[in-house]
Amino acid sequence: MIDATRTLAAARKIEVIMTAGIVILIGFACIGAVASVVSPTELAESIAHRAGYVTAPLVLWQSLALIAILGAHLALWLALLFVARRLFRQLRQGNPAAAVQSARWVAYLLWIMLAWGLASQALASVAATWGYPEGSRVLSIAFGTPQISVAFSALIASFMAQAFALGAELWQDHREVI
């Protein structure tokens, strides 16, 4: 007989980690929301500086654009963590068939994160450098280590979704035999 105790315990631990990640990201989102109301330009200049842009003073639309881009990143990460937590909860509860759908959503969200990461980099570079003199503005499009890491993660998640589907079928067959 198959003993799934260790797997179920590991799923519970990872579910707790995902919950902690959600709490931390919600905390950052709340801090960001307060900062965007209190001092949107200062927050946006900090975002631009951390992205590597020495900014001229930003106007309001540039600040709001950079804050919105960061907010979209946070929203995507939150969605990914919520779906991943649901995936591990379903595994812990012994419901592999439902976990298959969650695993597919994790893969889809990772592909969306990759596309958004590339698009947001271009949008952020334009917003951050719009105040530069003509000829000095930047449109940055790059495919580096972070994007390659997300692409590999998405590929692995896509494969894992297929493996979960096969595992769910085998688990169901095992239950029917016993």
Side-chain angles (χ1 to χ4, degrees):
M1 183 164 156
I2 297 172
D3 183 19
T5 307
R6 289 178 52 201
T7 303
L8 298 178
R12 174 67 185 140
K13 289 176 186 175
I14 296 173
E15 180 186 355
V16 169
I17 291 169
M18 295 298 152
T19 302
I22 290 168
V23 170
I24 290 168
L25 278 182
I26 288 174
F28 281 136
C30 290
I31 291 168
V34 169
S36 67
V37 171
V38 172
S39 181
T41 304
E42 198 172 303
L43 175 62
E45 286 175 356
S46 173
I47 293 168
H49 180 69
R50 290 183 194 278
Y53 298 104
V54 179
T55 59
L58 299 175
V59 295
L60 185 61
W61 78 264
Q62 289 174 290
S63 299
L64 295 177
L66 290 171
I67 291 168
I69 290 168
L70 180 61
H73 277 288
L74 281 173
L76 275 172
W77 271 103
L78 278 170
L80 179 68
L81 290 176
F82 271 109
V83 173
R85 182 178 69 168
R86 184 176 63 209
L87 164 68
F88 290 107
R89 179 179 295 142
Q90 290 163 339
L91 288 174
R92 180 180 53 86
Q93 293 171 342
N95 190 357
V100 169
Q101 258 327 94
S102 295
R104 287 186 178 130
W105 271 104
V106 166
Y108 295 146
L109 285 169
L110 284 168
W111 286 114
I112 291 168
M113 287 178 78
L114 175 62
W116 174 245
L118 294 170
S120 68
Q121 179 183 19
L123 293 172
S125 67
V126 169
T129 62
W130 193 260
Y132 286 13
E134 194 169 315
S136 298
R137 295 179 187 148
V138 176
L139 171 61
S140 175
I141 301 172
F143 196 82
T145 305
Q147 292 80 16
I148 292 170
S149 297
V150 173
F152 279 133
S153 297
L155 283 171
I156 290 169
S158 298
F159 173 77
M160 292 304 295
Q162 294 303 320
F164 277 148
L166 176 61
E169 289 177 25
L170 292 173
W171 194 336
Q172 186 61 37
D173 286 346
H174 176 72
R175 284 182 180 170
E176 290 173 4
V177 170
I178 294 177

